[in-house]
Amino acid sequence: QVQLVESGGGLVQAGGSLRLSCAASGRTFSSYAMGWFRQAPGKEREFVTSINWTGGSIAYAASVKGRFTISRDNAKNTVYLQMNSLKPEDTAVYYCAADRRPIISSNPDYWGQGTQVTVSS
């Protein structure tokens, strides 16, 4: 069993930055692929980024590539999402996810409760 708790969301102006954190507890954190998804009002949940257990394989959605950076610190059982050059269309609830698979799937095994990110124009 794995528990995930996101933090760091908030309100920021377009062009600004936020850093999200996802603290994990339970079974060995380093054994899981980790990722971030987001869901805006009236929209389907979408993939944002993922990182494998070693940190050596990273993927980004085209909409955030070059602006967002995912990282993980296995010693702290934490994954981060650095969000730069934020746009109003980035406004969404951001969910941390963990997956026993080596690569994050569209239906990860575990989800956090979500943290709201709002970008004003």
Side-chain angles (χ1 to χ4, degrees):
Q1 190 71 32
V2 174
Q3 295 80 44
L4 305 172
V5 180
E6 302 98 331
S7 62
L11 175 65
V12 65
Q13 290 190 3
S17 298
L18 286 173
R19 189 194 194 200
L20 306 184
S21 298
C22 175
S25 62
R27 296 184 66 84
T28 305
F29 172 76
S30 61
S31 298
Y32 293 83
M34 303 292 296
W36 292 90
F37 295 76
R38 67 186 183 185
Q39 187 166 23
K43 301 292 183 67
E44 294 185 350
R45 182 189 65 195
E46 66 173 340
F47 168 81
V48 177
T49 182
S50 65
I51 186 168
N52 77 334
W53 70 277
T54 66
S57 182
I58 297 173
Y60 295 99
S63 59
V64 306
K65 191 172 185 179
R67 300 188 297 118
F68 291 9
T69 302
I70 189 172
S71 62
R72 66 190 297 166
D73 187 337
N74 291 341
K76 296 181 179 180
N77 291 340
T78 302
V79 63
Y80 305 97
L81 181 63
Q82 180 66 46
M83 309 165 68
N84 298 326
S85 301
L86 283 162
K87 304 175 181 179
E89 50 262 46
D90 294 319
T91 296
V93 176
Y94 284 71
Y95 296 93
C96 180
D99 204 322
R100 292 171 294 175
R101 302 170 179 82
I103 302 174
I104 202 84
S105 74
S106 60
N107 293 290
D109 294 314
Y110 304 100
W111 294 95
Q113 84 286 353
T115 186
Q116 177 71 46
V117 172
T118 302
V119 184
S120 63
S121 59

